[in-house]
Amino acid sequence: MSPGFVVLSDVDHRILTDIRYATAYNFIGRRVDGYQEPLCLLTRRAAEALRRVQEAALAVGRSLKVYDCYRPQRATEDFLNWAGQPGQDAMKAEFYPRVAKAELVDRGYLGAPSAHSRGSTVDLTLVDVPPPEQARFEPGQPLLACTAPRAQRFPDNSVDMGTGFDCFDPLSHTDSDRIGPVAGENRRQLRQLMADGGFVGYDREWWHFRYRDEPWPDTYFDLPVTRSSAG
């Protein structure tokens, strides 16, 4: 059974990509199992819907930037295996500075199966147009808490959303009232753009959206993230 994935950049090259799990800059601190290439794979239906959202975002001077799209089941298993092992907290100071690693699953930040494995869920943000330069993370550089004010976090070129991406903390809850008004408005704008495009958010992660009319609502795939998995 083929899910019919497409590479998002083939559908809309204007949507920015920053596929963190294909790099060492993520909460584990290494490339995640299954991410062979830094690509956004999606079902064609979800990709076409995201293209329409991009049109709406560009109309108000902003662009989408995706952090994660289709996620193989083996990647979710990699997350859970990591979560169940003591230690391996190299990235704690940045991605979960105020939550114990042992609580990440119970608090709903990690879990299986993941909607991402169905190919119609994305993690994303908004970026001003033209997009500011994106800083490159170098392994070993000082970590900066994702919960800190924007000027004190890793310099992502995203607009201020109140926290960094994959920040496992109550501040990342979509309706948190502990973020500033600018970040709150940016979250509202992203949520409205995505809702208008047919996507449903997740209350604990401002960046997470599932396409409501997904073609595989009950099927989880394990193809690797590589161009050869498209088509």
Side-chain angles (χ1 to χ4, degrees):
M1 178 172 53
S2 171
F5 291 151
V6 296
V7 178
L8 179 62
S9 59
D10 292 345
V11 175
D12 194 330
H13 68 277
R14 303 167 301 177
I15 299 176
L16 306 176
T17 59
D18 185 3
I19 308 300
R20 298 282 183 86
Y21 299 148
T23 76
Y25 185 50
N26 56 62
F27 62 90
I28 292 181
R30 57 166 171 77
R31 183 182 65 82
V32 175
D33 192 14
Y35 285 81
Q36 297 181 9
E37 297 180 52
L39 295 174
C40 171
L41 299 182
L42 287 171
T43 61
R44 179 167 292 279
R45 193 179 297 175
E48 293 286 357
L50 210 58
R51 180 184 58 78
R52 293 189 290 271
V53 176
Q54 175 73 349
E55 291 283 358
L58 290 172
V60 293
R62 291 191 158 168
S63 171
L64 302 177
K65 181 175 85 167
V66 295
Y67 295 112
D68 192 35
C69 301
Y70 160 71
R71 179 185 306 164
Q73 287 196 84
R74 71 190 78 175
T76 300
E77 292 167 4
D78 197 9
F79 291 167
L80 294 183
N81 287 338
W82 167 84
Q85 295 172 1
Q88 297 189 29
D89 268 336
M91 304 298 280
K92 176 177 174 55
E94 179 142 353
F95 290 94
Y96 49 109
R98 305 190 297 195
V99 177
K101 177 183 174 182
E103 297 178 10
L104 293 178
V105 174
D106 288 345
R107 291 198 182 199
Y109 297 119
L110 298 176
S114 169
H116 282 275
S117 298
R118 304 196 297 260
S120 297
T121 292
V122 293
D123 293 339
L124 78 174
T125 189
L126 293 172
V127 176
D128 283 328
V129 176
E133 185 176 347
Q134 172 67 60
R136 181 181 176 86
F137 176 79
E138 298 295 341
Q141 74 183 61
L143 299 179
L144 303 170
C146 60
T147 53
R150 185 187 187 195
Q152 299 170 34
R153 299 197 300 266
F154 179 78
D156 190 320
N157 64 354
S158 166
V159 301
D160 185 13
M161 290 292 189
T163 74
F165 164 63
D166 258 2
C167 188
F168 301 143
D169 190 272
L171 277 183
S172 294
H173 294 186
T174 301
D175 293 327
S176 174
D177 59 3
R178 295 168 51 208
I179 60 172
V182 172
E185 174 58 24
N186 287 335
R187 287 189 188 183
R188 187 207 63 77
Q189 184 182 49
L190 176 62
R191 193 163 63 244
Q192 188 64 56
L193 285 165
M194 294 299 286
D196 289 348
F199 289 83
V200 181
Y202 174 47
D203 62 355
R204 299 193 184 190
E205 297 175 349
W206 59 257
W207 53 83
H208 177 109
F209 293 88
R210 174 184 60 82
Y211 187 53
R212 184 181 288 109
D213 191 25
E214 58 182 316
W216 301 104
D218 303 305
T219 307
Y220 299 84
F221 298 96
D222 194 37
L223 296 167
V225 178
T226 178
R227 181 167 281 275
S228 62
S229 293

